[in-house]
Coordinates of all heavy atoms in Angstrom, one line a residue:
S231 N 0.8 -1.2 0.0 CA 0.0 0.0 0.0 C 0.9 1.2 0.0 O 2.0 1.2 0.4 CB -0.9 0.0 1.2 OG -0.2 0.2 2.4
R232 N 0.3 2.3 -0.5 CA 1.0 3.6 -0.4 C 0.5 4.3 0.9 O -0.6 4.5 1.1 CB 0.5 4.5 -1.6 CG 0.9 5.9 -1.5 CD 2.1 6.2 -2.5 NE 2.5 7.6 -2.5 CZ 1.9 8.6 -3.1 NH1 1.0 8.3 -4.0 NH2 2.4 9.8 -3.0
W233 N 1.5 4.5 1.7 CA 1.2 5.1 3.0 C 1.1 6.6 2.9 O 0.4 7.2 3.6 CB 2.3 4.7 4.0 CG 1.9 5.0 5.4 CD1 2.5 5.9 6.2 CD2 0.9 4.3 6.2 NE1 1.9 5.9 7.5 CE2 0.9 4.9 7.5 CE3 0.0 3.3 5.9 CZ2 0.1 4.5 8.5 CZ3 -0.9 2.9 6.9 CH2 -0.8 3.5 8.2
G234 N 1.9 7.2 2.1 CA 1.9 8.7 1.9 C 3.3 9.1 1.4 O 4.3 8.5 1.6
G235 N 3.3 10.2 0.7 CA 4.5 10.8 0.1 C 5.3 9.7 -0.6 O 4.8 9.1 -1.6
D236 N 6.5 9.4 -0.2 CA 7.4 8.4 -0.8 C 7.5 7.2 0.0 O 8.5 6.5 0.0 CB 8.7 9.0 -1.1 CG 9.5 9.5 0.1 OD1 8.8 9.7 1.1 OD2 10.7 9.5 0.1
E237 N 6.4 6.9 0.8 CA 6.4 5.8 1.7 C 5.4 4.7 1.3 O 4.2 5.1 1.0 CB 6.2 6.3 3.1 CG 7.3 7.2 3.6 CD 6.9 8.0 4.8 OE1 5.7 8.2 5.1 OE2 7.8 8.4 5.5
F238 N 5.8 3.5 1.5 CA 4.9 2.3 1.2 C 4.9 1.4 2.4 O 6.0 1.4 3.1 CB 5.4 1.5 0.0 CG 5.5 2.3 -1.3 CD1 6.6 3.1 -1.6 CD2 4.4 2.4 -2.1 CE1 6.7 3.8 -2.8 CE2 4.4 3.1 -3.3 CZ 5.6 3.8 -3.6
V239 N 3.8 0.7 2.7 CA 3.8 -0.3 3.7 C 3.4 -1.6 3.1 O 2.5 -1.7 2.3 CB 2.8 0.1 4.9 CG1 2.7 -1.1 5.9 CG2 3.3 1.4 5.6
V240 N 4.2 -2.7 3.4 CA 3.9 -4.0 2.9 C 3.5 -4.9 4.1 O 4.2 -5.0 5.1 CB 5.2 -4.6 2.3 CG1 4.9 -6.0 1.7 CG2 5.7 -3.7 1.2
L241 N 2.3 -5.5 3.9 CA 1.8 -6.4 4.9 C 2.1 -7.8 4.5 O 1.7 -8.2 3.4 CB 0.2 -6.2 5.1 CG -0.5 -7.3 5.8 CD1 0.0 -7.4 7.3 CD2 -2.0 -6.9 5.8
L242 N 2.7 -8.6 5.4 CA 3.1 -9.9 5.1 C 2.5 -10.9 6.1 O 3.1 -11.2 7.1 CB 4.7 -10.1 5.1 CG 5.4 -9.1 4.1 CD1 6.9 -9.1 4.4 CD2 5.2 -9.6 2.7
P243 N 1.3 -11.4 5.8 CA 0.6 -12.2 6.8 C 1.3 -13.6 6.9 O 1.7 -14.2 5.9 CB -0.8 -12.4 6.3 CG -0.8 -11.8 4.9 CD 0.5 -11.1 4.7
G244 N 1.5 -14.1 8.1 CA 2.1 -15.4 8.4 C 3.6 -15.3 8.4 O 4.3 -16.3 8.6
Y245 N 4.2 -14.2 8.2 CA 5.7 -14.0 8.1 C 6.3 -13.7 9.5 O 5.7 -12.9 10.2 CB 6.1 -12.9 7.2 CG 6.0 -13.2 5.7 CD1 4.8 -13.4 5.1 CD2 7.1 -13.2 4.9 CE1 4.7 -13.7 3.7 CE2 7.1 -13.5 3.6 CZ 5.8 -13.7 3.0 OH 5.7 -14.0 1.6
S246 N 7.4 -14.3 9.8 CA 8.2 -13.8 11.0 C 9.0 -12.6 10.5 O 9.1 -12.3 9.3 CB 9.1 -14.9 11.5 OG 10.1 -15.2 10.5
A247 N 9.6 -12.0 11.5 CA 10.5 -10.8 11.1 C 11.7 -11.3 10.3 O 12.1 -10.6 9.4 CB 11.0 -10.1 12.4
G248 N 12.2 -12.5 10.6 CA 13.3 -13.0 9.8 C 12.9 -13.3 8.3 O 13.6 -12.9 7.4
E249 N 11.7 -13.9 8.1 CA 11.2 -14.1 6.7 C 10.9 -12.8 6.0 O 11.2 -12.6 4.9 CB 10.0 -14.9 6.8 CG 10.2 -16.4 7.3 CD 8.9 -17.1 7.6 OE1 8.0 -16.5 8.1 OE2 8.9 -18.3 7.5
A250 N 10.4 -11.8 6.8 CA 10.1 -10.5 6.2 C 11.4 -9.8 5.8 O 11.5 -9.0 4.8 CB 9.3 -9.6 7.2
S251 N 12.5 -10.0 6.6 CA 13.8 -9.4 6.3 C 14.3 -9.9 4.9 O 14.9 -9.2 4.2 CB 14.8 -9.7 7.4 OG 14.4 -9.1 8.6
E252 N 14.0 -11.2 4.7 CA 14.4 -11.8 3.4 C 13.6 -11.0 2.2 O 14.2 -10.7 1.2 CB 14.1 -13.3 3.3 CG 15.0 -14.1 4.2 CD 14.6 -15.5 4.3 OE1 13.9 -16.0 3.4 OE2 15.0 -16.2 5.3
V253 N 12.4 -10.8 2.4 CA 11.6 -10.0 1.4 C 12.1 -8.6 1.3 O 12.3 -8.1 0.2 CB 10.1 -10.0 1.8 CG1 9.3 -9.1 0.8 CG2 9.5 -11.4 1.8
A254 N 12.5 -8.0 2.4 CA 13.1 -6.6 2.4 C 14.4 -6.6 1.5 O 14.6 -5.7 0.7 CB 13.3 -6.1 3.8
N255 N 15.2 -7.7 1.7 CA 16.4 -7.8 1.0 C 16.1 -7.9 -0.5 O 16.8 -7.4 -1.4 CB 17.2 -8.9 1.5 CG 18.7 -8.9 1.1 OD1 19.3 -7.8 1.1 ND2 19.2 -10.0 0.7
I256 N 15.1 -8.7 -0.9 CA 14.7 -8.8 -2.3 C 14.3 -7.5 -2.9 O 14.7 -7.1 -4.0 CB 13.6 -9.9 -2.4 CG1 14.1 -11.3 -2.1 CG2 13.0 -9.9 -3.8 CD1 13.0 -12.3 -1.9
I257 N 13.5 -6.7 -2.1 CA 13.1 -5.4 -2.6 C 14.3 -4.5 -2.8 O 14.4 -3.8 -3.8 CB 12.1 -4.8 -1.6 CG1 10.8 -5.6 -1.6 CG2 11.8 -3.3 -1.9 CD1 9.8 -5.2 -0.5
I258 N 15.2 -4.5 -1.9 CA 16.4 -3.7 -2.0 C 17.2 -4.1 -3.2 O 17.7 -3.2 -4.0 CB 17.2 -3.7 -0.7 CG1 16.5 -2.9 0.4 CG2 18.6 -3.1 -0.9 CD1 17.0 -3.1 1.7
N259 N 17.4 -5.4 -3.4 CA 18.2 -5.8 -4.6 C 17.5 -5.5 -5.9 O 18.1 -5.3 -6.9 CB 18.5 -7.3 -4.5 CG 19.5 -7.6 -3.4 OD1 20.3 -6.8 -3.1 ND2 19.4 -8.8 -2.8
Q260 N 16.1 -5.5 -5.9 CA 15.4 -5.1 -7.1 C 15.6 -3.7 -7.5 O 15.5 -3.3 -8.7 CB 13.9 -5.3 -6.8 CG 12.9 -4.9 -7.9 CD 12.8 -5.9 -9.0 OE1 13.4 -6.9 -9.0 NE2 12.1 -5.5 -10.0
Q261 N 16.0 -2.8 -6.6 CA 16.2 -1.4 -6.9 C 17.5 -1.1 -7.6 O 17.8 0.0 -8.0 CB 16.2 -0.6 -5.6 CG 14.9 -0.7 -4.8 CD 13.6 -0.7 -5.6 OE1 13.5 0.1 -6.5 NE2 12.7 -1.7 -5.3
H262 N 18.4 -2.1 -7.7 CA 19.7 -1.9 -8.3 C 19.6 -1.8 -9.8 O 20.6 -1.4 -10.4 CB 20.7 -3.1 -7.9 CG 21.1 -3.0 -6.5 ND1 21.5 -4.1 -5.8 CD2 21.0 -2.0 -5.5 CE1 21.8 -3.8 -4.5 NE2 21.5 -2.5 -4.4
S263 N 18.5 -2.1 -10.4 CA 18.4 -2.0 -11.8 C 17.9 -0.6 -12.2 O 17.2 0.1 -11.4 CB 17.5 -3.0 -12.4 OG 16.2 -3.0 -11.8
L264 N 18.2 -0.1 -13.3 CA 17.9 1.2 -13.8 C 16.4 1.4 -13.9 O 15.6 0.6 -14.4 CB 18.6 1.4 -15.2 CG 18.4 2.7 -15.9 CD1 19.2 3.8 -15.1 CD2 18.9 2.6 -17.3
I265 N 16.0 2.6 -13.6 CA 14.6 3.1 -13.8 C 14.6 4.2 -14.9 O 15.4 5.1 -14.8 CB 14.0 3.7 -12.5 CG1 13.8 2.6 -11.5 CG2 12.6 4.4 -12.8 CD1 13.2 3.0 -10.1
V266 N 13.8 4.0 -15.9 CA 13.7 5.0 -16.9 C 12.3 5.6 -16.8 O 11.3 4.9 -16.9 CB 13.9 4.4 -18.3 CG1 13.8 5.4 -19.4 CG2 15.2 3.6 -18.4
L267 N 12.3 6.9 -16.5 CA 11.1 7.6 -16.4 C 10.5 7.9 -17.8 O 11.2 7.9 -18.8 CB 11.3 8.9 -15.6 CG 11.8 8.8 -14.2 CD1 12.0 10.1 -13.5 CD2 10.9 7.9 -13.4
G268 N 9.2 8.2 -17.8 CA 8.5 8.6 -19.1 C 9.2 9.7 -19.8 O 9.1 9.9 -21.0
S269 N 9.8 10.6 -19.0 CA 10.5 11.8 -19.6 C 11.8 11.4 -20.3 O 12.5 12.3 -20.9 CB 10.8 12.8 -18.5 OG 11.6 12.3 -17.5
G270 N 12.3 10.2 -20.1 CA 13.5 9.7 -20.6 C 14.7 9.8 -19.6 O 15.8 9.3 -19.9
H271 N 14.5 10.4 -18.5 CA 15.5 10.4 -17.4 C 15.7 9.0 -16.9 O 14.8 8.3 -16.7 CB 15.1 11.4 -16.3 CG 15.1 12.8 -16.7 ND1 14.0 13.5 -17.2 CD2 16.1 13.7 -16.7 CE1 14.3 14.7 -17.5 NE2 15.6 14.9 -17.2
E272 N 17.0 8.7 -16.7 CA 17.4 7.5 -16.1 C 17.9 7.6 -14.7 O 18.6 8.6 -14.4 CB 18.5 6.8 -17.0 CG 18.1 6.5 -18.4 CD 19.2 6.0 -19.2 OE1 20.4 6.1 -18.8 OE2 19.0 5.4 -20.3
L273 N 17.4 6.8 -13.8 CA 17.7 6.9 -12.4 C 18.1 5.5 -11.8 O 17.6 4.5 -12.2 CB 16.5 7.4 -11.6 CG 15.9 8.7 -11.9 CD1 14.6 8.9 -11.2 CD2 16.8 9.8 -11.6
F274 N 19.0 5.5 -10.8 CA 19.2 4.4 -9.9 C 18.7 4.9 -8.6 O 19.1 5.9 -8.1 CB 20.7 4.0 -9.9 CG 21.2 3.3 -11.1 CD1 21.8 4.0 -12.1 CD2 20.9 1.9 -11.3 CE1 22.3 3.3 -13.2 CE2 21.4 1.3 -12.4 CZ 22.0 2.0 -13.4
V275 N 17.7 4.2 -8.0 CA 17.1 4.6 -6.8 C 17.3 3.5 -5.7 O 17.3 2.3 -6.0 CB 15.6 4.8 -7.0 CG1 14.9 5.2 -5.8 CG2 15.3 5.8 -8.1
S276 N 17.5 3.9 -4.5 CA 17.6 3.0 -3.4 C 16.5 3.3 -2.4 O 15.8 4.3 -2.6 CB 19.0 3.1 -2.7 OG 19.1 4.4 -2.1
C277 N 16.3 2.4 -1.5 CA 15.2 2.6 -0.5 C 15.7 2.1 0.8 O 16.7 1.3 0.9 CB 13.9 1.9 -0.9 SG 14.0 0.1 -1.1
S278 N 15.0 2.6 1.9 CA 15.3 2.1 3.3 C 14.0 1.5 3.8 O 12.9 2.0 3.6 CB 15.6 3.3 4.1 OG 16.8 4.0 3.6

């Protein structure tokens, strides 16, 4: 879900914090690829 501004919240039912940390790591690694905006600008974005 979009929580507001540039913040998102992900609900992981049935997950422990350890399992959720694995998902967080997958999300972070997903950000290493290039993002091309509709305007043609290219960005590498990270998240916390």
Side-chain angles (χ1 to χ4, degrees):
S231 71
R232 170 107 180 273
W233 193 250
D236 61 337
E237 299 167 333
F238 300 88
V239 174
V240 181
L241 168 60
L242 302 168
Y245 285 65
S246 68
E249 294 165 329
S251 295
E252 292 174 20
V253 174
N255 198 41
I256 292 168
I257 292 170
I258 288 167
N259 288 332
Q260 175 77 4
Q261 304 316 315
H262 292 157
S263 58
L264 182 68
I265 292 179
V266 180
L267 300 179
S269 62
H271 288 92
E272 297 179 342
L273 303 171
F274 286 97
V275 179
S276 63
C277 61
S278 299

